[in-house]
Amino acid sequence: MPARQVRATGVRLTSLGYGAAQAGNLYRPTTDAETQAAFDVAWEAGVRYFDTAPHYGLGLSERRLGASLAARPRDEYVVSTKVGRLLVPSPETAHERDPDMFDVPADVRRVWDFSRDGILRSLESSLERTGLDRLDVVYLHDPDDHEEQAFAEALPALVELREQGVVGAIGAGMNQSAMLARFVRDADVDVVMCAGRFTLLEQPALTDLLPLAAERGVAVVVAGVYNSGLLARDVPPDDATYDYVQAPPALLERTRHVAAVCAEHGVTLPEAALAYVRSHPAVGSTVVGLRTPDQVREAVARHTAVVPRDLWSALVGAGLLAPDAHPDAFA
């Protein structure tokens, strides 16, 4: 699978990345065996970039990812995790389930912490959970409400760790593009993860983040490429979700129109969604959340599907894609 080097860090990201939130029992349980089988299929397909976070299943995703990769040659894969949420023991809620989307016991709780000490403690815990000797990529995780501390304390700590060789590449991961653009403009970051803000349906990152990242040589990893579900099926169902809630009727109708134009050009909506985001020169990888072997096979097939370039012109002509969002405008 094609891979791109992240600046001069030596870190190489395959064009398709494995999103391991589902390995943390996102929404519903996933077994250890199912997780291992999905990782094995991804490996055989050439995927070498795996993304996780302490947030995903209160550490379960990191533990499962580490176990699944334990027998693989360490220099052949890249793991990214995130900092900003510490996991603190919570015996008083251990009998409950995690209230934050993951089907796991709430025996620990998340505590926001972008201080230098919090970053160091978070990374130490992630290394312990994954069993790794180093972390290839570390993102500040959703620092939206902690902007100044992230710049004043968290980023300098990550820079220091990168210089020490504990971390390969550093950056931030968010569900917005404006603050990510500030990280690229004002900080010494190597890579950023932009979730849901550069998709076939919406492209605010085209205005602020992507041109700046291309200029500075910072890699952009696109996540949330399906807008949490709306672009994940050939024809969006009535109960399709957008940004994790029910999709508004007008947006659902527009997406079905996009799907119809895609079908006229011999491709599916998810294939077009993946092809669109990887068309931008700043995009180094697309991370897709995966749970089962079949989902991995489906994602690889979608990712490698050939999409005719005249599809984008047809979408522009139908008023479903802005002219400046046509891939030809990215060159």
Side-chain angles (χ1 to χ4, degrees), residues 131-184:
L132 299 175
D133 59 347
R134 68 182 188 278
L135 292 164
D136 303 292
V137 181
V138 175
Y139 300 108
L140 302 182
H141 200 180
D142 297 334
D144 305 66
D145 298 327
H146 309 269
E147 184 172 2
E148 296 314 312
Q149 189 178 34
F151 277 90
E153 295 188 51
L155 270 175
L158 288 183
V159 169
E160 187 177 324
L161 290 167
R162 183 182 60 190
E163 292 173 349
Q164 294 171 355
V166 178
V167 171
I170 62 172
M174 305 180 71
N175 292 285
Q176 60 155 294
S177 60
M179 194 186 299
L180 288 178
R182 183 190 170 192
F183 280 110
V184 173

Side-chain angles (χ1 to χ4, degrees), residues 232-252:
R233 301 188 190 180
D234 295 2
V235 178
D238 291 340
D239 61 350
T241 56
Y242 167 78
D243 275 359
Y244 306 101
V245 297
Q246 178 74 38
L251 184 58
L252 182 61

Side-chain angles (χ1 to χ4, degrees), residues 107-238:
D107 53 355
V108 297
R109 58 187 175 87
R110 304 168 181 86
V111 176
W112 290 103
D113 193 336
F114 287 93
S115 68
R116 172 185 170 79
D117 179 66
I119 299 305
L120 297 177
R121 289 168 57 196
S122 182
L123 285 177
E124 182 179 5
S125 296
S126 289
L127 287 169
E128 181 179 347
R129 282 189 291 267
T130 59
L132 299 175
D133 59 347
R134 68 182 188 278
L135 292 164
D136 303 292
V137 181
V138 175
Y139 300 108
L140 302 182
H141 200 180
D142 297 334
D144 305 66
D145 298 327
H146 309 269
E147 184 172 2
E148 296 314 312
Q149 189 178 34
F151 277 90
E153 295 188 51
L155 270 175
L158 288 183
V159 169
E160 187 177 324
L161 290 167
R162 183 182 60 190
E163 292 173 349
Q164 294 171 355
V166 178
V167 171
I170 62 172
M174 305 180 71
N175 292 285
Q176 60 155 294
S177 60
M179 194 186 299
L180 288 178
R182 183 190 170 192
F183 280 110
V184 173
R185 183 179 61 249
D186 299 339
D188 182 19
V189 298
D190 308 298
V191 56
V192 294
M193 177 177 282
C194 181
R197 304 287 80 86
F198 180 55
T199 73
L200 190 55
L201 289 181
E202 58 175 299
Q203 304 90 29
L206 270 181
T207 302
D208 44 26
L209 174 62
L210 289 165
L212 188 59
E215 176 187 333
R216 301 290 176 88
V218 173
V220 176
V221 173
V222 175
V225 66
Y226 297 142
N227 282 122
S228 88
L230 189 51
L231 294 170
R233 301 188 190 180
D234 295 2
V235 178
D238 291 340

